[in-house]
mmCIF file of all heavy atoms in Angstrom:
data_model
loop_
_atom_site.group_PDB
_atom_site.id
_atom_site.type_symbol
_atom_site.label_atom_id
_atom_site.label_comp_id
_atom_site.label_asym_id
_atom_site.label_seq_id
_atom_site.Cartn_x
_atom_site.Cartn_y
_atom_site.Cartn_z
ATOM 1 N N LEU A 1 -1.115 -14.901 3.469
ATOM 2 C CA LEU A 1 -1.510 -15.562 4.709
ATOM 3 C C LEU A 1 -2.376 -14.713 5.638
ATOM 4 O O LEU A 1 -2.756 -15.165 6.706
ATOM 5 C CB LEU A 1 -0.254 -16.014 5.473
ATOM 6 C CG LEU A 1 0.667 -16.952 4.690
ATOM 7 C CD1 LEU A 1 1.939 -17.214 5.479
ATOM 8 C CD2 LEU A 1 -0.040 -18.241 4.340
ATOM 9 N N VAL A 2 -2.672 -13.493 5.250
ATOM 10 C CA VAL A 2 -3.486 -12.609 6.094
ATOM 11 C C VAL A 2 -4.943 -13.045 6.018
ATOM 12 O O VAL A 2 -5.544 -13.015 4.944
ATOM 13 C CB VAL A 2 -3.353 -11.134 5.643
ATOM 14 C CG1 VAL A 2 -4.292 -10.238 6.426
ATOM 15 C CG2 VAL A 2 -1.914 -10.664 5.768
ATOM 16 N N PRO A 3 -5.544 -13.461 7.147
ATOM 17 C CA PRO A 3 -6.949 -13.872 7.127
ATOM 18 C C PRO A 3 -7.868 -12.659 6.920
ATOM 19 O O PRO A 3 -7.826 -11.698 7.688
ATOM 20 C CB PRO A 3 -7.187 -14.481 8.513
ATOM 21 C CG PRO A 3 -5.903 -14.421 9.242
ATOM 22 C CD PRO A 3 -4.928 -13.624 8.458
ATOM 23 N N ARG A 4 -8.653 -12.706 5.883
ATOM 24 C CA ARG A 4 -9.485 -11.572 5.489
ATOM 25 C C ARG A 4 -10.423 -11.115 6.597
ATOM 26 O O ARG A 4 -10.555 -9.916 6.867
ATOM 27 C CB ARG A 4 -10.281 -11.925 4.237
ATOM 28 C CG ARG A 4 -11.063 -10.754 3.691
ATOM 29 C CD ARG A 4 -11.881 -11.131 2.463
ATOM 30 N NE ARG A 4 -11.065 -11.766 1.462
ATOM 31 C CZ ARG A 4 -11.387 -12.904 0.839
ATOM 32 N NH1 ARG A 4 -12.516 -13.512 1.117
ATOM 33 N NH2 ARG A 4 -10.605 -13.421 -0.068
ATOM 34 N N ASP A 5 -11.084 -12.055 7.286
ATOM 35 C CA ASP A 5 -12.043 -11.676 8.325
ATOM 36 C C ASP A 5 -11.366 -10.939 9.470
ATOM 37 O O ASP A 5 -11.880 -9.938 9.969
ATOM 38 C CB ASP A 5 -12.783 -12.902 8.850
ATOM 39 C CG ASP A 5 -13.738 -13.488 7.818
ATOM 40 O OD1 ASP A 5 -14.124 -12.751 6.891
ATOM 41 O OD2 ASP A 5 -14.084 -14.666 7.945
ATOM 42 N N ARG A 6 -10.208 -11.422 9.893
ATOM 43 C CA ARG A 6 -9.484 -10.754 10.981
ATOM 44 C C ARG A 6 -8.990 -9.378 10.526
ATOM 45 O O ARG A 6 -9.039 -8.420 11.279
ATOM 46 C CB ARG A 6 -8.313 -11.615 11.447
ATOM 47 C CG ARG A 6 -7.628 -10.992 12.663
ATOM 48 C CD ARG A 6 -6.549 -11.868 13.198
ATOM 49 N NE ARG A 6 -7.149 -12.931 13.970
ATOM 50 C CZ ARG A 6 -6.477 -13.976 14.405
ATOM 51 N NH1 ARG A 6 -5.211 -14.121 14.121
ATOM 52 N NH2 ARG A 6 -7.074 -14.891 15.132
ATOM 53 N N LEU A 7 -8.537 -9.292 9.282
ATOM 54 C CA LEU A 7 -8.103 -8.004 8.735
ATOM 55 C C LEU A 7 -9.245 -6.998 8.775
ATOM 56 O O LEU A 7 -9.064 -5.853 9.221
ATOM 57 C CB LEU A 7 -7.611 -8.186 7.299
ATOM 58 C CG LEU A 7 -7.394 -6.908 6.490
ATOM 59 C CD1 LEU A 7 -6.249 -6.088 7.062
ATOM 60 C CD2 LEU A 7 -7.137 -7.233 5.029
ATOM 61 N N LEU A 8 -10.424 -7.407 8.342
ATOM 62 C CA LEU A 8 -11.578 -6.494 8.325
ATOM 63 C C LEU A 8 -12.003 -6.102 9.729
ATOM 64 O O LEU A 8 -12.406 -4.955 9.966
ATOM 65 C CB LEU A 8 -12.733 -7.123 7.549
ATOM 66 C CG LEU A 8 -12.469 -7.308 6.050
ATOM 67 C CD1 LEU A 8 -13.573 -8.139 5.405
ATOM 68 C CD2 LEU A 8 -12.293 -5.973 5.344
ATOM 69 N N THR A 9 -11.880 -7.022 10.692
ATOM 70 C CA THR A 9 -12.175 -6.700 12.097
ATOM 71 C C THR A 9 -11.206 -5.638 12.604
ATOM 72 O O THR A 9 -11.607 -4.669 13.259
ATOM 73 C CB THR A 9 -12.078 -7.972 12.972
ATOM 74 O OG1 THR A 9 -13.055 -8.906 12.510
ATOM 75 C CG2 THR A 9 -12.311 -7.658 14.434
ATOM 76 N N LYS A 10 -9.936 -5.793 12.278
ATOM 77 C CA LYS A 10 -8.928 -4.816 12.714
ATOM 78 C C LYS A 10 -9.117 -3.485 11.999
ATOM 79 O O LYS A 10 -8.926 -2.421 12.595
ATOM 80 C CB LYS A 10 -7.523 -5.361 12.483
ATOM 81 C CG LYS A 10 -7.167 -6.492 13.436
ATOM 82 C CD LYS A 10 -5.738 -6.943 13.234
ATOM 83 C CE LYS A 10 -5.352 -7.978 14.276
ATOM 84 N NZ LYS A 10 -3.902 -8.194 14.304
ATOM 85 N N LEU A 11 -9.511 -3.527 10.731
ATOM 86 C CA LEU A 11 -9.772 -2.291 9.997
ATOM 87 C C LEU A 11 -10.924 -1.536 10.641
ATOM 88 O O LEU A 11 -10.861 -0.316 10.825
ATOM 89 C CB LEU A 11 -10.074 -2.602 8.531
ATOM 90 C CG LEU A 11 -10.295 -1.408 7.614
ATOM 91 C CD1 LEU A 11 -9.067 -0.509 7.561
ATOM 92 C CD2 LEU A 11 -10.664 -1.876 6.213
ATOM 93 N N THR A 12 -11.973 -2.234 11.025
ATOM 94 C CA THR A 12 -13.112 -1.618 11.714
ATOM 95 C C THR A 12 -12.654 -0.979 13.019
ATOM 96 O O THR A 12 -13.040 0.156 13.329
ATOM 97 C CB THR A 12 -14.200 -2.676 11.991
ATOM 98 O OG1 THR A 12 -14.639 -3.231 10.748
ATOM 99 C CG2 THR A 12 -15.378 -2.076 12.724
ATOM 100 N N ALA A 13 -11.809 -1.688 13.773
ATOM 101 C CA ALA A 13 -11.320 -1.181 15.061
ATOM 102 C C ALA A 13 -10.385 0.010 14.911
ATOM 103 O O ALA A 13 -10.145 0.735 15.874
ATOM 104 C CB ALA A 13 -10.609 -2.302 15.821
ATOM 105 N N SER A 14 -9.883 0.245 13.697
ATOM 106 C CA SER A 14 -8.954 1.365 13.491
ATOM 107 C C SER A 14 -9.660 2.708 13.404
ATOM 108 O O SER A 14 -9.011 3.752 13.330
ATOM 109 C CB SER A 14 -8.114 1.132 12.231
ATOM 110 O OG SER A 14 -8.858 1.388 11.047
ATOM 111 N N GLY A 15 -10.998 2.688 13.397
ATOM 112 C CA GLY A 15 -11.752 3.941 13.426
ATOM 113 C C GLY A 15 -12.258 4.429 12.084
ATOM 114 O O GLY A 15 -12.782 5.535 11.990
ATOM 115 N N VAL A 16 -12.126 3.620 11.030
ATOM 116 C CA VAL A 16 -12.601 4.072 9.722
ATOM 117 C C VAL A 16 -14.110 3.858 9.605
ATOM 118 O O VAL A 16 -14.698 3.039 10.313
ATOM 119 C CB VAL A 16 -11.854 3.360 8.559
ATOM 120 C CG1 VAL A 16 -10.368 3.601 8.648
ATOM 121 C CG2 VAL A 16 -12.159 1.891 8.523
ATOM 122 N N ASP A 17 -14.716 4.605 8.720
ATOM 123 C CA ASP A 17 -16.149 4.530 8.471
ATOM 124 C C ASP A 17 -16.527 3.121 8.013
ATOM 125 O O ASP A 17 -15.801 2.504 7.222
ATOM 126 C CB ASP A 17 -16.517 5.558 7.392
ATOM 127 C CG ASP A 17 -18.004 5.698 7.196
ATOM 128 O OD1 ASP A 17 -18.598 4.789 6.581
ATOM 129 O OD2 ASP A 17 -18.567 6.698 7.663
ATOM 130 N N SER A 18 -17.650 2.619 8.469
ATOM 131 C CA SER A 18 -18.086 1.257 8.132
ATOM 132 C C SER A 18 -18.282 1.077 6.627
ATOM 133 O O SER A 18 -18.098 -0.017 6.097
ATOM 134 C CB SER A 18 -19.362 0.896 8.888
ATOM 135 O OG SER A 18 -20.415 1.765 8.515
ATOM 136 N N ARG A 19 -18.636 2.147 5.919
ATOM 137 C CA ARG A 19 -18.808 2.046 4.469
ATOM 138 C C ARG A 19 -17.480 1.769 3.773
ATOM 139 O O ARG A 19 -17.438 1.070 2.760
ATOM 140 C CB ARG A 19 -19.443 3.317 3.914
ATOM 141 C CG ARG A 19 -20.887 3.513 4.388
ATOM 142 C CD ARG A 19 -21.421 4.843 3.996
ATOM 143 N NE ARG A 19 -20.680 5.874 4.737
ATOM 144 C CZ ARG A 19 -20.911 7.169 4.675
ATOM 145 N NH1 ARG A 19 -21.859 7.626 3.890
ATOM 146 N NH2 ARG A 19 -20.209 8.022 5.380
ATOM 147 N N VAL A 20 -16.399 2.276 4.330
ATOM 148 C CA VAL A 20 -15.066 2.009 3.774
ATOM 149 C C VAL A 20 -14.682 0.554 4.033
ATOM 150 O O VAL A 20 -14.105 -0.108 3.162
ATOM 151 C CB VAL A 20 -14.014 2.988 4.345
ATOM 152 C CG1 VAL A 20 -12.611 2.602 3.900
ATOM 153 C CG2 VAL A 20 -14.343 4.416 3.927
ATOM 154 N N VAL A 21 -15.032 0.043 5.208
ATOM 155 C CA VAL A 21 -14.765 -1.366 5.508
ATOM 156 C C VAL A 21 -15.514 -2.260 4.518
ATOM 157 O O VAL A 21 -14.951 -3.233 4.004
ATOM 158 C CB VAL A 21 -15.140 -1.710 6.969
ATOM 159 C CG1 VAL A 21 -14.958 -3.199 7.240
ATOM 160 C CG2 VAL A 21 -14.322 -0.879 7.951
ATOM 161 N N VAL A 22 -16.745 -1.929 4.226
ATOM 162 C CA VAL A 22 -17.529 -2.695 3.249
ATOM 163 C C VAL A 22 -16.869 -2.614 1.872
ATOM 164 O O VAL A 22 -16.742 -3.625 1.164
ATOM 165 C CB VAL A 22 -18.993 -2.193 3.187
ATOM 166 C CG1 VAL A 22 -19.732 -2.795 2.001
ATOM 167 C CG2 VAL A 22 -19.709 -2.498 4.491
ATOM 168 N N TRP A 23 -16.410 -1.426 1.483
ATOM 169 C CA TRP A 23 -15.735 -1.264 0.188
ATOM 170 C C TRP A 23 -14.483 -2.133 0.138
ATOM 171 O O TRP A 23 -14.249 -2.832 -0.861
ATOM 172 C CB TRP A 23 -15.372 0.203 -0.057
ATOM 173 C CG TRP A 23 -14.810 0.411 -1.430
ATOM 174 C CD1 TRP A 23 -15.505 0.751 -2.556
ATOM 175 C CD2 TRP A 23 -13.446 0.263 -1.835
ATOM 176 N NE1 TRP A 23 -14.655 0.821 -3.637
ATOM 177 C CE2 TRP A 23 -13.380 0.526 -3.218
ATOM 178 C CE3 TRP A 23 -12.265 -0.072 -1.171
ATOM 179 C CZ2 TRP A 23 -12.194 0.473 -3.942
ATOM 180 C CZ3 TRP A 23 -11.076 -0.127 -1.894
ATOM 181 C CH2 TRP A 23 -11.045 0.141 -3.257
ATOM 182 N N VAL A 24 -13.685 -2.128 1.194
ATOM 183 C CA VAL A 24 -12.461 -2.932 1.232
ATOM 184 C C VAL A 24 -12.805 -4.416 1.155
ATOM 185 O O VAL A 24 -12.147 -5.179 0.443
ATOM 186 C CB VAL A 24 -11.611 -2.608 2.488
ATOM 187 C CG1 VAL A 24 -10.481 -3.614 2.658
ATOM 188 C CG2 VAL A 24 -11.062 -1.191 2.407
ATOM 189 N N ARG A 25 -13.852 -4.839 1.871
ATOM 190 C CA ARG A 25 -14.269 -6.244 1.799
ATOM 191 C C ARG A 25 -14.606 -6.623 0.361
ATOM 192 O O ARG A 25 -14.150 -7.644 -0.155
ATOM 193 C CB ARG A 25 -15.462 -6.510 2.713
ATOM 194 C CG ARG A 25 -15.826 -8.000 2.729
ATOM 195 C CD ARG A 25 -17.101 -8.317 3.483
ATOM 196 N NE ARG A 25 -18.228 -7.843 2.693
ATOM 197 C CZ ARG A 25 -19.238 -7.112 3.167
ATOM 198 N NH1 ARG A 25 -19.285 -6.776 4.432
ATOM 199 N NH2 ARG A 25 -20.198 -6.717 2.387
ATOM 200 N N GLU A 26 -15.383 -5.790 -0.313
ATOM 201 C CA GLU A 26 -15.748 -6.069 -1.705
ATOM 202 C C GLU A 26 -14.532 -6.031 -2.624
ATOM 203 O O GLU A 26 -14.446 -6.780 -3.595
ATOM 204 C CB GLU A 26 -16.821 -5.080 -2.185
ATOM 205 C CG GLU A 26 -18.139 -5.234 -1.478
ATOM 206 C CD GLU A 26 -18.720 -6.628 -1.629
ATOM 207 O OE1 GLU A 26 -18.734 -7.159 -2.770
ATOM 208 O OE2 GLU A 26 -19.162 -7.210 -0.629
ATOM 209 N N PHE A 27 -13.571 -5.172 -2.312
ATOM 210 C CA PHE A 27 -12.324 -5.074 -3.078
ATOM 211 C C PHE A 27 -11.517 -6.368 -2.976
ATOM 212 O O PHE A 27 -10.873 -6.794 -3.931
ATOM 213 C CB PHE A 27 -11.512 -3.878 -2.552
ATOM 214 C CG PHE A 27 -10.153 -3.720 -3.155
ATOM 215 C CD1 PHE A 27 -10.005 -3.252 -4.461
ATOM 216 C CD2 PHE A 27 -9.017 -4.010 -2.421
ATOM 217 C CE1 PHE A 27 -8.741 -3.090 -5.009
ATOM 218 C CE2 PHE A 27 -7.750 -3.846 -2.956
ATOM 219 C CZ PHE A 27 -7.610 -3.388 -4.263
#
């Protein structure tokens, strides 16, 4: 039930590198 877009927004806000966020999205 975790919405992917909101998860990625929160991951970005957690301070990780944007390239890692892109990798997680593709994952």
Side-chain angles (χ1 to χ4, degrees):
L1 302 174
V2 175
R4 186 181 307 132
D5 291 339
R6 185 176 282 170
L7 168 66
L8 294 171
T9 298
K10 289 184 175 193
L11 183 60
T12 300
S14 76
V16 302
D17 188 285
S18 62
R19 293 172 293 182
V20 173
V21 176
V22 169
W23 186 92
V24 170
R25 185 187 72 228
E26 294 302 314
F27 175 74

